[in-house]
Amino acid sequence: MLRYIIRRLLMMIPIFMGISLIVLIFISVAPGDPAQMKLGNEATEEELNELRESWGLNDSFFERYFKFLGNAVRGNFGRSYMNNRLISEELFQRFRYTVVIAILSTLLSVIIGIPLGLYAATHQYTWKDNAAIALSLVAISMPSFWFALLLIQLFSIKLGILPTAGVESWKGWIMPVLSLALGSMAMITRMMRSNLLEVIRMDYITTARAKGQTETKVLYKHSLKNAIIPVIQVVGSLFGLSLGGSMIAEIIYSVPGLGNYMLSGLTARDYPVIQSVSFFLSVIASIVILLVDIAFAFIDPRIRSQYTRKRSAVRRSHSSGEA
């Protein structure tokens, strides 16, 4: 297991390098000049060149790329072009808002999605099952920003019970979490339903029923624990996606998280902010997915046995080669 963890950690290195490279390519070809936006249209060419030189914008593409990577590994993300504040401080101050929205939306998706998928599977081919499938399709197809606007229209404008923006109180978190959880909730519901329907048709479930066990015991003791294992792995990926997807909710509801910070960087062509937020979120998402994969290997005995068989086969091949 230790080798598996080390190998996965090493695999993250090219992922981070690739993400940083892609982001730098996009910001290099994007229109707009950060120096011009900082100094205004009345700045002279000498002033613009002097500012570009101080920011390192006159360096070659790969010089800028490896300079950013070297600093990012040490936790130094530089300073913002617009306000000259340390980006690392902004990242950690704003990350708490983003991670709270991501955690709460993921928990809400699990709390509602798994029981709904279970209910749909146990009522297959009934109107209840069809209703759950229809709601899941609508939720997956609905854009999150449109759903967020519908929530504002209903709870803020019509009913007046929730604030339209800000998270000064607990009520301010409700609509951002709901808008972000909708798609994940539908995905978990559909996956839980299909997994459970597949499991309850297996031979060991038929054997358990033939032994006279109650349907409730068959469902919760034998079927559910095997059907829920793939869902656990997907939840980790959904949490990683929620970290990036929270940008829309943060912008619409004026949450001072990393999504809003990224938007301000894109608007001002603040290259260090754009690179730093992208790199930081990719690192956090990769670590979360790694932890879920490790937990998945411990939860599912088939993964452990498969990994053990691979190690045994490698050892036998080495032994036969030496012989």
Side-chain angles (χ1 to χ4, degrees), residues 106-117:
T106 304
L107 287 176
L108 183 63
S109 303
V110 171
I111 292 172
I112 297 179
I114 290 179
L116 189 59

Side-chain angles (χ1 to χ4, degrees), residues 116-270:
L116 189 59
L118 177 64
Y119 186 79
T122 53
H123 295 79
Q124 189 182 16
Y125 302 134
T126 64
W127 69 268
K128 301 172 184 178
D129 181 31
N130 294 331
I133 294 174
L135 289 174
S136 299
L137 287 174
V138 171
I140 292 176
S141 305
M142 185 182 299
S144 58
F145 71 89
W146 188 59
F147 183 61
L149 295 176
L150 289 179
L151 291 177
I152 293 176
Q153 180 70 22
L154 175 61
F155 292 108
S156 298
I157 298 177
K158 294 292 185 182
L159 301 178
I161 58 177
L162 295 178
T164 57
V167 287
E168 286 76 15
S169 66
W170 62 271
K171 292 183 178 180
W173 294 97
I174 295 177
M175 290 195 292
V177 170
L178 283 176
S179 62
L180 190 59
L182 181 67
S184 300
M185 189 188 309
M187 191 177 301
I188 292 175
T189 299
R190 291 173 59 84
M191 188 173 184
M192 187 65 206
R193 176 186 178 275
S194 61
N195 288 344
L196 189 59
L197 289 176
E198 182 180 352
V199 169
I200 60 179
R201 295 189 180 99
M202 291 184 175
D203 293 337
Y204 72 93
I205 299 297
T206 305
T207 303
R209 286 171 175 160
K211 290 180 178 180
Q213 295 187 5
T214 63
E215 194 65 26
T216 302
K217 189 173 183 179
V218 169
L219 178 64
Y220 290 102
K221 184 178 179 180
H222 301 288
S223 304
L224 183 59
K225 66 179 182 180
N226 290 319
I228 205 173
I229 288 176
V231 178
I232 295 174
Q233 192 175 27
V234 171
V235 168
S237 301
L238 291 176
F239 176 75
L241 293 174
S242 297
L243 288 173
S246 63
M247 177 183 295
I248 297 176
E250 290 176 13
I251 293 171
I252 293 177
Y253 297 108
S254 299
V255 180
L258 291 180
N260 251 325
Y261 193 40
M262 172 70 89
L263 178 65
S264 64
L266 290 170
T267 305
R269 300 297 186 271
D270 200 334

Side-chain angles (χ1 to χ4, degrees), residues 288-300:
V288 170
I289 294 174
L290 173 62
L291 293 176
V292 171
D293 288 344
I294 294 173
F296 186 69
F298 281 104
I299 293 172
D300 192 349

Side-chain angles (χ1 to χ4, degrees), residues 25-149:
I25 290 174
F26 277 117
I27 62 178
S28 298
V29 300
D33 184 1
Q36 188 77 59
M37 298 188 71
K38 176 71 173 180
L39 299 179
N41 295 327
E42 297 180 357
T44 63
E45 192 63 30
E46 290 184 1
E47 292 174 335
L48 293 174
N49 283 328
E50 183 179 352
L51 186 57
R52 294 190 192 108
E53 186 68 31
S54 65
W55 283 347
L57 295 178
N58 292 334
D59 297 339
S60 66
F61 177 85
F62 287 103
E63 285 178 341
R64 293 163 57 194
Y65 173 65
F66 287 109
K67 183 178 179 180
F68 171 78
L69 278 181
N71 291 331
V73 170
R74 297 191 296 269
N76 178 19
F77 294 104
R79 292 181 178 271
S80 170
Y81 286 168
M82 297 300 108
N83 54 25
N84 202 36
R85 293 188 60 180
L86 284 173
I87 296 176
S88 57
E89 294 180 358
E90 291 279 353
L91 288 177
F92 291 108
Q93 288 176 3
R94 293 172 177 267
F95 178 63
R96 56 181 178 175
Y97 295 99
T98 301
V99 75
V100 167
I101 293 177
I103 290 175
L104 292 179
S105 63
T106 304
L107 287 176
L108 183 63
S109 303
V110 171
I111 292 172
I112 297 179
I114 290 179
L116 189 59
L118 177 64
Y119 186 79
T122 53
H123 295 79
Q124 189 182 16
Y125 302 134
T126 64
W127 69 268
K128 301 172 184 178
D129 181 31
N130 294 331
I133 294 174
L135 289 174
S136 299
L137 287 174
V138 171
I140 292 176
S141 305
M142 185 182 299
S144 58
F145 71 89
W146 188 59
F147 183 61
L149 295 176

